[in-house]
Amino acid sequence: MTANAILGAACSQFAEKGFEGASLAGIARAVGIKKQSIATYFAKKEDLFLAAFHEMARHYYEFLERLYTEFRDMPVEIRLREIVYKNYYYRLEQPVLTAFYKMAVQFPPPFFRDVLEEQIALMEQQSAGLYRSIFEEGMRAGVIRQQQADSLLSAYYCLLDGIAMQMFFYSQEKFEERLGDIWGIFWAGIKQPE
């Protein structure tokens, strides 16, 4: 329980203040423990940051697996669209994890720069399996025009990442209107012409 509470407080601190600005004392205060107690679970601040990043990635991947299971029997277009929309809503519902990821990727601490590329590749590898299977099914069924699955994945990741950035610039109502347009153009670009 305490390790989870420490991770939660660390995510909040790292999201708000970055690695340099976050303090073990502040994290301990948020949890209601002494600073020295953190060392029982995490030897140093770098270990805590890595553990928080892994926890954030695990939480997101579990979300993707639930989506994949929930929409498994739906048509390809609906599955792909719902993943886009649910990703958007996930980011709204998980502001701390979203902010932590954004801070870690845009302003990685020096020790993390070398690890970041590996971590992002691992996260992408896990999600790519889910997305690739939908794209390949769509091409087999003639719903998506024949093309390289890797190209589809690249475009889909850009779509998801672009949405993650754009959502900070607009009200929820305005962005949801834009999201409909964004999805419509993306789908028109990959679907099999009628």
Side-chain angles (χ1 to χ4, degrees), residues 91-115:
R91 288 180 175 98
L92 287 179
E93 294 164 6
Q94 300 293 334
V96 171
L97 294 179
T98 299
F100 174 55
Y101 177 76
K102 184 178 174 193
M103 181 72 79
V105 170
Q106 291 182 332
F107 307 104
F111 79 91
F112 191 62
R113 287 190 181 117
D114 294 337
V115 178

mmCIF file of all heavy atoms in Angstrom, residues 91-115:
data_model
loop_
_atom_site.group_PDB
_atom_site.id
_atom_site.type_symbol
_atom_site.label_atom_id
_atom_site.label_comp_id
_atom_site.label_asym_id
_atom_site.label_seq_id
_atom_site.Cartn_x
_atom_site.Cartn_y
_atom_site.Cartn_z
ATOM 1 N N ARG A 91 -7.077 10.520 -21.342
ATOM 2 C CA ARG A 91 -6.203 11.638 -20.972
ATOM 3 C C ARG A 91 -6.950 12.666 -20.117
ATOM 4 O O ARG A 91 -6.367 13.265 -19.220
ATOM 5 C CB ARG A 91 -5.615 12.276 -22.221
ATOM 6 C CG ARG A 91 -4.569 11.388 -22.860
ATOM 7 C CD ARG A 91 -3.976 12.011 -24.112
ATOM 8 N NE ARG A 91 -2.896 11.196 -24.620
ATOM 9 C CZ ARG A 91 -3.028 10.317 -25.602
ATOM 10 N NH1 ARG A 91 -4.200 10.138 -26.189
ATOM 11 N NH2 ARG A 91 -1.993 9.609 -26.010
ATOM 12 N N LEU A 92 -8.232 12.872 -20.422
ATOM 13 C CA LEU A 92 -9.031 13.783 -19.594
ATOM 14 C C LEU A 92 -9.238 13.220 -18.196
ATOM 15 O O LEU A 92 -9.213 13.955 -17.210
ATOM 16 C CB LEU A 92 -10.406 14.021 -20.230
ATOM 17 C CG LEU A 92 -10.473 14.893 -21.472
ATOM 18 C CD1 LEU A 92 -11.918 14.982 -21.974
ATOM 19 C CD2 LEU A 92 -9.934 16.288 -21.201
ATOM 20 N N GLU A 93 -9.464 11.916 -18.117
ATOM 21 C CA GLU A 93 -9.760 11.268 -16.834
ATOM 22 C C GLU A 93 -8.507 10.983 -16.009
ATOM 23 O O GLU A 93 -8.610 10.737 -14.808
ATOM 24 C CB GLU A 93 -10.527 9.966 -17.073
ATOM 25 C CG GLU A 93 -11.913 10.202 -17.655
ATOM 26 C CD GLU A 93 -12.535 8.952 -18.267
ATOM 27 O OE1 GLU A 93 -11.949 7.853 -18.154
ATOM 28 O OE2 GLU A 93 -13.613 9.079 -18.882
ATOM 29 N N GLN A 94 -7.354 10.985 -16.645
ATOM 30 C CA GLN A 94 -6.088 10.699 -15.951
ATOM 31 C C GLN A 94 -5.122 11.876 -16.133
ATOM 32 O O GLN A 94 -4.051 11.728 -16.712
ATOM 33 C CB GLN A 94 -5.456 9.415 -16.511
ATOM 34 C CG GLN A 94 -6.293 8.178 -16.366
ATOM 35 C CD GLN A 94 -6.457 7.763 -14.916
ATOM 36 O OE1 GLN A 94 -5.623 8.053 -14.061
ATOM 37 N NE2 GLN A 94 -7.549 7.090 -14.624
ATOM 38 N N PRO A 95 -5.489 13.051 -15.625
ATOM 39 C CA PRO A 95 -4.647 14.226 -15.882
ATOM 40 C C PRO A 95 -3.244 14.117 -15.293
ATOM 41 O O PRO A 95 -2.284 14.620 -15.876
ATOM 42 C CB PRO A 95 -5.436 15.381 -15.258
ATOM 43 C CG PRO A 95 -6.331 14.736 -14.251
ATOM 44 C CD PRO A 95 -6.657 13.380 -14.803
ATOM 45 N N VAL A 96 -3.100 13.458 -14.154
ATOM 46 C CA VAL A 96 -1.773 13.358 -13.531
ATOM 47 C C VAL A 96 -0.868 12.461 -14.365
ATOM 48 O O VAL A 96 0.273 12.819 -14.675
ATOM 49 C CB VAL A 96 -1.872 12.840 -12.078
ATOM 50 C CG1 VAL A 96 -0.489 12.528 -11.518
ATOM 51 C CG2 VAL A 96 -2.577 13.877 -11.197
ATOM 52 N N LEU A 97 -1.373 11.289 -14.764
ATOM 53 C CA LEU A 97 -0.563 10.381 -15.574
ATOM 54 C C LEU A 97 -0.235 11.011 -16.924
ATOM 55 O O LEU A 97 0.885 10.872 -17.427
ATOM 56 C CB LEU A 97 -1.286 9.042 -15.774
ATOM 57 C CG LEU A 97 -1.493 8.200 -14.523
ATOM 58 C CD1 LEU A 97 -2.233 6.906 -14.857
ATOM 59 C CD2 LEU A 97 -0.178 7.896 -13.820
ATOM 60 N N THR A 98 -1.199 11.710 -17.495
ATOM 61 C CA THR A 98 -0.983 12.380 -18.782
ATOM 62 C C THR A 98 0.088 13.462 -18.653
ATOM 63 O O THR A 98 0.998 13.556 -19.484
ATOM 64 C CB THR A 98 -2.306 12.988 -19.286
ATOM 65 O OG1 THR A 98 -3.255 11.931 -19.467
ATOM 66 C CG2 THR A 98 -2.120 13.721 -20.600
ATOM 67 N N ALA A 99 -0.014 14.273 -17.604
ATOM 68 C CA ALA A 99 0.964 15.341 -17.400
ATOM 69 C C ALA A 99 2.345 14.771 -17.086
ATOM 70 O O ALA A 99 3.361 15.302 -17.540
ATOM 71 C CB ALA A 99 0.500 16.272 -16.276
ATOM 72 N N PHE A 100 2.387 13.686 -16.326
ATOM 73 C CA PHE A 100 3.673 13.060 -16.008
ATOM 74 C C PHE A 100 4.342 12.543 -17.278
ATOM 75 O O PHE A 100 5.536 12.772 -17.504
ATOM 76 C CB PHE A 100 3.477 11.934 -14.998
ATOM 77 C CG PHE A 100 4.725 11.138 -14.728
ATOM 78 C CD1 PHE A 100 5.892 11.759 -14.312
ATOM 79 C CD2 PHE A 100 4.733 9.771 -14.887
ATOM 80 C CE1 PHE A 100 7.050 11.025 -14.065
ATOM 81 C CE2 PHE A 100 5.878 9.026 -14.646
ATOM 82 C CZ PHE A 100 7.040 9.662 -14.226
ATOM 83 N N TYR A 101 3.574 11.874 -18.122
ATOM 84 C CA TYR A 101 4.130 11.355 -19.376
ATOM 85 C C TYR A 101 4.658 12.507 -20.237
ATOM 86 O O TYR A 101 5.774 12.454 -20.749
ATOM 87 C CB TYR A 101 3.066 10.567 -20.138
ATOM 88 C CG TYR A 101 3.547 10.058 -21.469
ATOM 89 C CD1 TYR A 101 4.387 8.958 -21.550
ATOM 90 C CD2 TYR A 101 3.181 10.694 -22.648
ATOM 91 C CE1 TYR A 101 4.850 8.497 -22.775
ATOM 92 C CE2 TYR A 101 3.639 10.240 -23.872
ATOM 93 C CZ TYR A 101 4.460 9.140 -23.932
ATOM 94 O OH TYR A 101 4.926 8.698 -25.145
ATOM 95 N N LYS A 102 3.837 13.542 -20.356
ATOM 96 C CA LYS A 102 4.226 14.697 -21.182
ATOM 97 C C LYS A 102 5.509 15.340 -20.647
ATOM 98 O O LYS A 102 6.432 15.643 -21.405
ATOM 99 C CB LYS A 102 3.074 15.703 -21.197
ATOM 100 C CG LYS A 102 3.305 16.896 -22.092
ATOM 101 C CD LYS A 102 2.094 17.800 -22.071
ATOM 102 C CE LYS A 102 2.355 19.067 -22.839
ATOM 103 N NZ LYS A 102 1.361 20.092 -22.610
ATOM 104 N N MET A 103 5.588 15.518 -19.338
ATOM 105 C CA MET A 103 6.775 16.124 -18.728
ATOM 106 C C MET A 103 7.991 15.222 -18.923
ATOM 107 O O MET A 103 9.080 15.698 -19.271
ATOM 108 C CB MET A 103 6.522 16.363 -17.234
ATOM 109 C CG MET A 103 7.677 17.008 -16.508
ATOM 110 S SD MET A 103 7.933 18.750 -16.915
ATOM 111 C CE MET A 103 6.674 19.513 -15.919
ATOM 112 N N ALA A 104 7.824 13.927 -18.724
ATOM 113 C CA ALA A 104 8.948 12.986 -18.845
ATOM 114 C C ALA A 104 9.489 12.930 -20.263
ATOM 115 O O ALA A 104 10.701 12.809 -20.471
ATOM 116 C CB ALA A 104 8.514 11.593 -18.386
ATOM 117 N N VAL A 105 8.594 13.030 -21.244
ATOM 118 C CA VAL A 105 9.004 12.931 -22.643
ATOM 119 C C VAL A 105 9.580 14.253 -23.148
ATOM 120 O O VAL A 105 10.589 14.270 -23.849
ATOM 121 C CB VAL A 105 7.813 12.467 -23.513
ATOM 122 C CG1 VAL A 105 8.123 12.583 -24.985
ATOM 123 C CG2 VAL A 105 7.444 11.029 -23.171
ATOM 124 N N GLN A 106 8.957 15.344 -22.784
ATOM 125 C CA GLN A 106 9.411 16.643 -23.293
ATOM 126 C C GLN A 106 10.617 17.195 -22.541
ATOM 127 O O GLN A 106 11.446 17.891 -23.119
ATOM 128 C CB GLN A 106 8.266 17.652 -23.255
ATOM 129 C CG GLN A 106 7.181 17.320 -24.254
ATOM 130 C CD GLN A 106 6.063 18.350 -24.259
ATOM 131 O OE1 GLN A 106 5.793 19.005 -23.257
ATOM 132 N NE2 GLN A 106 5.403 18.496 -25.396
ATOM 133 N N PHE A 107 10.694 16.892 -21.253
ATOM 134 C CA PHE A 107 11.792 17.407 -20.429
ATOM 135 C C PHE A 107 12.392 16.273 -19.599
ATOM 136 O O PHE A 107 12.321 16.295 -18.367
ATOM 137 C CB PHE A 107 11.291 18.530 -19.506
ATOM 138 C CG PHE A 107 10.561 19.616 -20.236
ATOM 139 C CD1 PHE A 107 9.175 19.701 -20.184
ATOM 140 C CD2 PHE A 107 11.264 20.543 -20.994
ATOM 141 C CE1 PHE A 107 8.494 20.705 -20.867
ATOM 142 C CE2 PHE A 107 10.583 21.550 -21.680
ATOM 143 C CZ PHE A 107 9.193 21.629 -21.625
ATOM 144 N N PRO A 108 12.980 15.294 -20.264
ATOM 145 C CA PRO A 108 13.504 14.151 -19.505
ATOM 146 C C PRO A 108 14.699 14.548 -18.652
ATOM 147 O O PRO A 108 15.537 15.348 -19.085
ATOM 148 C CB PRO A 108 13.921 13.163 -20.601
ATOM 149 C CG PRO A 108 14.174 13.995 -21.798
ATOM 150 C CD PRO A 108 13.230 15.177 -21.700
ATOM 151 N N PRO A 109 14.766 14.007 -17.443
ATOM 152 C CA PRO A 109 15.952 14.276 -16.637
ATOM 153 C C PRO A 109 17.184 13.659 -17.313
ATOM 154 O O PRO A 109 17.048 12.694 -18.075
ATOM 155 C CB PRO A 109 15.643 13.594 -15.296
ATOM 156 C CG PRO A 109 14.511 12.675 -15.552
ATOM 157 C CD PRO A 109 13.785 13.176 -16.755
ATOM 158 N N PRO A 110 18.350 14.193 -17.055
ATOM 159 C CA PRO A 110 19.559 13.723 -17.751
ATOM 160 C C PRO A 110 19.763 12.207 -17.694
ATOM 161 O O PRO A 110 20.090 11.587 -18.698
ATOM 162 C CB PRO A 110 20.687 14.464 -17.035
ATOM 163 C CG PRO A 110 20.043 15.695 -16.498
ATOM 164 C CD PRO A 110 18.637 15.309 -16.152
ATOM 165 N N PHE A 111 19.571 11.595 -16.518
ATOM 166 C CA PHE A 111 19.800 10.155 -16.403
ATOM 167 C C PHE A 111 18.783 9.349 -17.211
ATOM 168 O O PHE A 111 19.025 8.189 -17.530
ATOM 169 C CB PHE A 111 19.725 9.711 -14.931
ATOM 170 C CG PHE A 111 18.319 9.566 -14.419
ATOM 171 C CD1 PHE A 111 17.654 8.351 -14.493
ATOM 172 C CD2 PHE A 111 17.647 10.654 -13.894
ATOM 173 C CE1 PHE A 111 16.349 8.221 -14.037
ATOM 174 C CE2 PHE A 111 16.344 10.535 -13.440
ATOM 175 C CZ PHE A 111 15.694 9.309 -13.509
ATOM 176 N N PHE A 112 17.660 9.962 -17.546
ATOM 177 C CA PHE A 112 16.565 9.245 -18.193
ATOM 178 C C PHE A 112 16.616 9.323 -19.710
ATOM 179 O O PHE A 112 15.956 8.559 -20.389
ATOM 180 C CB PHE A 112 15.236 9.811 -17.673
ATOM 181 C CG PHE A 112 14.020 9.000 -18.041
ATOM 182 C CD1 PHE A 112 13.871 7.692 -17.611
ATOM 183 C CD2 PHE A 112 12.999 9.553 -18.809
ATOM 184 C CE1 PHE A 112 12.749 6.951 -17.935
ATOM 185 C CE2 PHE A 112 11.871 8.817 -19.137
ATOM 186 C CZ PHE A 112 11.752 7.516 -18.694
ATOM 187 N N ARG A 113 17.390 10.228 -20.248
ATOM 188 C CA ARG A 113 17.414 10.430 -21.702
ATOM 189 C C ARG A 113 17.758 9.154 -22.454
ATOM 190 O O ARG A 113 17.149 8.838 -23.466
ATOM 191 C CB ARG A 113 18.370 11.548 -22.069
ATOM 192 C CG ARG A 113 17.821 12.903 -21.700
ATOM 193 C CD ARG A 113 18.641 14.041 -22.260
ATOM 194 N NE ARG A 113 18.045 15.288 -21.842
ATOM 195 C CZ ARG A 113 18.641 16.171 -21.068
ATOM 196 N NH1 ARG A 113 19.862 15.954 -20.622
ATOM 197 N NH2 ARG A 113 18.028 17.285 -20.727
ATOM 198 N N ASP A 114 18.750 8.422 -21.962
ATOM 199 C CA ASP A 114 19.141 7.187 -22.634
ATOM 200 C C ASP A 114 18.078 6.100 -22.488
ATOM 201 O O ASP A 114 17.883 5.278 -23.374
ATOM 202 C CB ASP A 114 20.475 6.667 -22.081
ATOM 203 C CG ASP A 114 21.625 7.596 -22.409
ATOM 204 O OD1 ASP A 114 21.503 8.372 -23.383
ATOM 205 O OD2 ASP A 114 22.641 7.552 -21.693
ATOM 206 N N VAL A 115 17.394 6.108 -21.357
ATOM 207 C CA VAL A 115 16.385 5.093 -21.076
ATOM 208 C C VAL A 115 15.074 5.407 -21.800
ATOM 209 O O VAL A 115 14.324 4.500 -22.165
ATOM 210 C CB VAL A 115 16.135 5.023 -19.546
ATOM 211 C CG1 VAL A 115 15.066 4.008 -19.194
ATOM 212 C CG2 VAL A 115 17.417 4.708 -18.812
#
